[in-house]
Amino acid sequence: MSQQYIAKELVHFTTYENLCLILKDCVLLGGPNIEDSRKGFTCFSFKYREDISQGKMIEVNKVCFSDIPEGQTDIHRAKYGNFGIAFDKDFIVGKGGIPVHYVPRGATINSRWANENETRGSFFDRMTKEMYGYFDNLIVESNQDEDQEKREKYLKLEDFYMTHINPYYKFFDNTLPDDHCENYYFEREWRVVGSVKFYWGDIRKVLLPKGFDEAEFRKDCPNYKGPVVIEPQ
């Protein structure tokens, strides 16, 4: 049985200039800190006083892909660029990629620890800051006790949450129009923390916008011999 609501491959959309660089270097560099990604580092920036529901608490180098079927990418391309590079999902999973977990900020929260009429966004903001404060206090206490084993335990738990859970949450406003730049739900995003290196044979296809001259692309990226698909506008 076939289906049309998810794509067969995952696509990274970008500008033409970036696409040519990606194909030249055979690597998708995770942003926002591209230079550190180029050196092979995965950089995290933590701002404990910011709100996680606004996407400001943690910045991590990551590469993003969309799980949107061909012919339905117009909203996504308007945000990120009309040029795409596609890989099999299994390949991205092998690089550590997983789907993003979308959370409507205004959703109600059913918890004994929630305030009256508190939204899920507000609850996550408050509880995440409390949890990080708790972790920091435990680490300070273990340092004072010179208990290295206890300190490693707390650092492991903190790293697990910051590295493997927090970066994959994405809050959005479900009341926004479908094509609004902050209605992230329609991106159907998968993420890889860090960068993605690949070989020519890993690429399933390159996507170009309607009206773009494939011959120009072949001239600018002569080493790529694989399929090219023209996406309708």
Side-chain angles (χ1 to χ4, degrees):
M1 182 180 295
S2 63
Q3 53 77 32
Q4 301 295 324
Y5 52 89
I6 58 174
K8 297 183 183 302
E9 297 105 4
L10 297 175
V11 183
H12 176 81
F13 283 97
T14 186
T15 64
Y16 185 66
E17 179 183 7
N18 285 339
L19 176 64
C20 292
L21 287 174
I22 290 166
L23 292 172
K24 175 178 176 291
D25 296 335
C26 286
V27 62
L28 286 152
L29 296 173
N33 196 328
I34 296 294
E35 289 307 312
D36 281 337
S37 284
R38 199 180 305 278
K39 297 173 184 176
F41 300 123
T42 299
C43 297
F44 292 83
S45 174
F46 302 102
K47 301 175 183 178
Y48 296 120
R49 296 183 180 181
E50 299 289 349
D51 292 334
I52 188 174
S53 69
Q54 301 299 322
K56 297 179 179 179
M57 176 176 278
I58 292 182
E59 287 187 351
V60 58
N61 282 9
K62 59 187 179 295
V63 181
C64 304
F65 301 86
S66 66
D67 187 5
I68 305 173
E70 286 183 29
Q72 300 180 40
T73 61
D74 53 331
I75 292 176
H76 195 83
R77 287 186 286 115
K79 293 182 183 181
Y80 298 106
N82 285 313
F83 301 84
I85 180 170
F87 301 90
D88 282 339
K89 284 181 180 175
D90 287 346
F91 174 78
I92 299 302
V93 169
K95 295 293 184 178
I98 64 173
V100 165
H101 179 60
Y102 290 100
V103 182
R105 292 191 194 94
T108 58
I109 181 77
N110 299 317
S111 170
R112 60 183 292 193
W113 310 113
N115 296 326
E116 185 176 1
N117 298 323
E118 188 170 25
T119 64
R120 190 169 292 265
S122 172
F123 182 71
F124 268 68
D125 291 339
R126 185 167 55 83
M127 295 301 291
T128 302
K129 291 173 185 175
E130 185 174 325
M131 184 181 64
Y132 282 148
Y134 176 69
F135 276 134
D136 286 345
N137 288 336
L138 291 176
I139 292 170
V140 170
E141 289 176 9
S142 65
N143 283 338
Q144 293 172 344
D145 295 339
E146 298 184 353
D147 188 335
Q148 184 65 21
E149 184 177 350
K150 184 187 294 184
R151 182 173 184 273
E152 288 295 325
K153 176 182 177 181
Y154 297 146
L155 285 172
K156 179 178 68 174
L157 293 172
E158 184 180 39
D159 179 74
F160 170 70
Y161 183 78
M162 290 193 208
T163 307
H164 301 289
I165 296 180
N166 204 325
Y168 298 98
Y169 271 75
K170 196 162 188 177
F171 288 80
F172 73 101
D173 183 349
N174 63 289
T175 66
L176 294 174
D178 293 355
D179 59 352
H180 194 283
C181 62
E182 295 183 3
N183 192 343
Y184 304 118
Y185 185 70
F186 287 87
E187 296 178 4
R188 286 175 155 178
E189 182 182 345
W190 285 54
R191 283 182 181 174
V192 176
V193 171
S195 299
V196 176
K197 295 181 180 180
F198 59 87
Y199 296 101
W200 297 111
D202 297 321
I203 305 172
R204 286 295 159 259
K205 61 193 172 192
V206 165
L207 291 85
L208 305 177
K210 184 177 180 180
F212 191 87
D213 187 359
E214 182 180 341
E216 178 181 350
F217 165 73
R218 296 289 186 183
K219 178 181 177 181
D220 292 336
C221 302
N223 290 326
Y224 178 71
K225 309 297 184 183
V228 168
V229 172
I230 306 297
E231 279 274 275
Q233 292 286 59

